[in-house]
Amino acid sequence: MSKQHSRRQVLQGMGAAGATFLLPGKVSSAVPKLRVSGVDVEIQVASVSAHTVRLTVLPINDGKLTEVATNGSLVRSSWGVPITKVREETDPKTVKSGDLNVRVSTDPLTFTIETAKGEGIQQFTVDKETGVVSFATGNSPLLGLGEGGQQFDRRGSTDSMRSGQGGYRLATHGARVPIPWIIGTAGWAIFFHQPFGTFDFTASESKFQPTGRGAALPLDIFLVAAREPATIMAEYARLTGYVEMPPLWSLGYQQSHRTLASRQEILAEAKTFREKKLPCDALIYLGTGFCPSGWNTANGSFAWNSHVFPDPKEILDELHKDNFRAVLHAVILTDTLRGTVLDRCETTRYNAEEASCHWNAHRADFALGVDGWWPDEGDPLDIASRLVRNRMYWEGPQIDRPNVRPYALHRNGYADMQRYGSFLWSGDVYSTWETLKVHIPIAINTSLTGIPYWGTDVGGFVPSKEFSAELYLRWFQFGAFCTLFRCHGRAWKLRLPWGWNTGDPGPVEISNYSGADIPDSSQLHNTQVEPICRKYLELRYKMLPYLYSAVRECATTGMPVMRALWLHYSDDPVAIAREDEYLWGREVLVAPVVEKGAASRRIYLPRGFWYDFWTGERIEGGREITRQVDLETMPLYVRAGAILPLGPIKQYTSEQVDQPLSISIYPGNDASFLLYEDDGKSFNYRKGEWTGIQMEWNDSQRVLSLRLASGSRFSPQLRRNIDVTLNQTRRPIVFEGHPVEVRF
């Protein structure tokens, strides 16, 4: 219904009407302007794609339209000419945007999105006084929203979207990287690009509250509607960017350190990994200031601590000789960061707030052979500064090593951080069973928010009274199936795979933490821990061909590596709501054990048949099962209709091992898999220098076909010996780039 206006309002509108006159016996027909939060506005509707529409409310100040400011989270500022613009109170109108219909009403200010068939998808109502946005919560789980916060389904929660470690339950839920990307598992998703604010999901109608009245505009919302979850993830990547391929070594095991005793200890610990044949790719060193004796002299310093690194170049060379990568901890001592590494830094007027100057401080150490960085802190940074920092650690290393993929492990970020190959970890959590349990849904929601390279401090950062060999092992098993597989924490020697059998927890460093504790020395002579750690380290490295292929899929489609069951079983309400298990790529279901003393684990297997990875038992899905477990077993299942490539055991990712690739077929349905390989370190894959083996399994004919994937290259030195296995029957073959068939 149209709003009634007083004669005073009509007269005030005369100036804007221009040619409107008051004639005897007639009243002006001037149309009032559309206003939100006391400001004249223009509504714009733009079509991003067949599935995504952009809804924008822009303020008009002094007759000029204020454009949406960029904070770095979108890959583009514009998606073409708007399909409609509205500046006045007017009758409702409907426009077509891709496969969607958008109905715009000005009283109240409402956007109603429907399918072409008239099926309702979502509705946004903007309060004209406050700028508060209301939208339908729906009857199915709401997922995404970044790392941390109340888990799993966001319904029923309120979230102030506070970034950093001062947010929701740090001890168990970790740091918060809030990203306003909300997935309605009924078939829609929303990205609130502007402004930033608080979400309230406690009622049937959710509310978005801008941070303040003056911050309500401009309002910029992207609505994605699709029945296929893969389409929703692809649309998010379209908006905020596709992930970059990381160096292959970053997907191996990473061992982190705290207080260092000496040069001898640093090198001896590296040698121990190789002597014990415990696979490891990276050694990470904390900075002094965060511990009594780290790699540098103080927080923010790039000068080496001579007590433990008296000859850093020689030590780095020794580590490289043993095929380790060295990663250094770094902090930022400013609350603002701007620009890029390509900007000019005035050497006579150093400014720590300039990305170019800040990166220059790294370069001398980088030139010595440092392989990666661990940027810590930065909680006060605003969104734009966080993304400048993520970008700096991606583009900075390429100044000196232009064809080497960089590595950086961040504590802060935002939407778009994936474009800079950023890894993320969950912050300074406590070593408790509750922490381990809640990190499974955290992993899922983080991955659904476009951050595929994620992990935790395996074992928990702050040891508590619950810290034990059992908790460490269960966490280690989970870590083996996180994209970031890294152990770190106080009492750091208990984070070594052999640390529970030495009697030495290392420097304790827990006096500042409430409820912190370390195990009694009698528990530190446990012979079970190291062999179980070895089992999962070796499994991680055997799975690298599968994992790296899943990472490539993520980089090209937006589908994460750690996947909510919703992504492949969106018509199964039980699967959608399951928060204690996830898919590792498409084929493998992971069910971490998160209860102390557990002898069994309840697991939901979606429809179809599944194979127990450890025993090969075939089990019908569509139901919950009970799996017996011992201390060394974390349940893993492979779906029927899967092709699973496994490589040989390696001590580091680039090790050349003269053993065949193993291809295991899990029958029951037709299957396909693209095995992706490149050099693992350069950007040459962008020029087509990669090899893909496209595999197809015909279940009824019992035939596996292999061919060179379209767009990839094959050279004679890439000749592959492959063992194909079906139901314990093995067929050795050779792939030389030409089509091959294997019949069973």
Side-chain angles (χ1 to χ4, degrees), residues 186-395:
W188 52 266
I190 308 167
F191 181 56
F192 279 80
H193 174 229
Q194 298 282 7
F196 201 70
T198 295
F199 287 95
D200 182 347
F201 302 112
T202 58
S204 60
E205 191 173 64
S206 294
K207 294 187 181 297
F208 170 76
Q209 171 71 60
T211 51
R213 181 183 175 88
L217 297 173
L219 175 66
D220 196 28
I221 300 173
F222 293 83
L223 183 282
V224 181
R227 294 191 179 276
E228 286 297 324
T231 301
I232 291 177
M233 299 308 298
E235 290 297 292
Y236 184 69
R238 178 198 295 269
L239 296 174
T240 64
Y242 286 88
V243 69
E244 285 281 1
M245 291 291 290
L248 180 60
W249 65 260
S250 66
L251 300 174
Y253 176 66
Q254 303 182 32
Q255 179 65 60
S256 189
H257 307 73
R258 285 189 58 83
T259 297
L260 304 170
S262 65
R263 179 188 197 275
Q264 180 182 3
E265 181 188 61
I266 292 168
L267 295 177
E269 188 244 299
K271 294 289 185 185
T272 302
F273 270 100
R274 296 295 179 240
E275 290 168 358
K276 287 178 172 289
K277 294 194 178 299
L278 292 164
C280 180
D281 263 271
L283 302 175
I284 308 177
Y285 300 103
L286 189 67
T288 302
F290 280 67
C291 65
S293 177
W295 78 269
N296 59 5
T297 56
N299 274 353
S301 169
F302 291 91
W304 294 81
N305 175 4
S306 61
H307 297 294
V308 291
F309 283 95
D311 48 353
K313 177 68 166 63
E314 287 74 12
I315 294 177
L316 292 173
D317 287 347
E318 280 292 312
L319 296 177
H320 290 156
K321 194 179 300 180
D322 281 336
N323 297 289
F324 289 102
R325 308 287 178 160
V327 177
L328 301 183
H329 176 266
V331 297
I332 187 168
L333 300 180
T334 177
D335 292 345
T336 303
L337 197 61
R338 59 181 176 270
T340 76
V341 296
L342 299 179
D343 296 332
R344 184 178 179 185
C345 176
E346 298 289 346
T347 55
T348 58
R349 197 172 67 251
Y350 177 82
N351 187 341
E353 294 186 356
E354 295 288 344
S356 56
C357 294
H358 192 62
W359 178 253
N360 278 352
H362 296 67
R363 293 180 68 184
D365 294 333
F366 195 56
L368 296 178
V370 172
D371 298 285
W373 301 91
W374 174 15
D376 199 354
E377 292 203 321
D379 288 359
L381 294 171
D382 61 21
I383 290 171
S385 295
R386 278 178 249 154
L387 290 175
V388 167
R389 192 186 192 199
N390 279 257
R391 182 177 180 178
M392 180 186 76
Y393 278 98
W394 178 253
E395 294 180 343

Side-chain angles (χ1 to χ4, degrees), residues 63-82:
K64 294 185 65 177
L65 194 66
T66 302
E67 299 295 338
V68 177
T70 179
N71 57 19
S73 61
L74 296 178
V75 296
R76 293 169 54 183
S77 59
S78 173
W79 270 269
V81 178

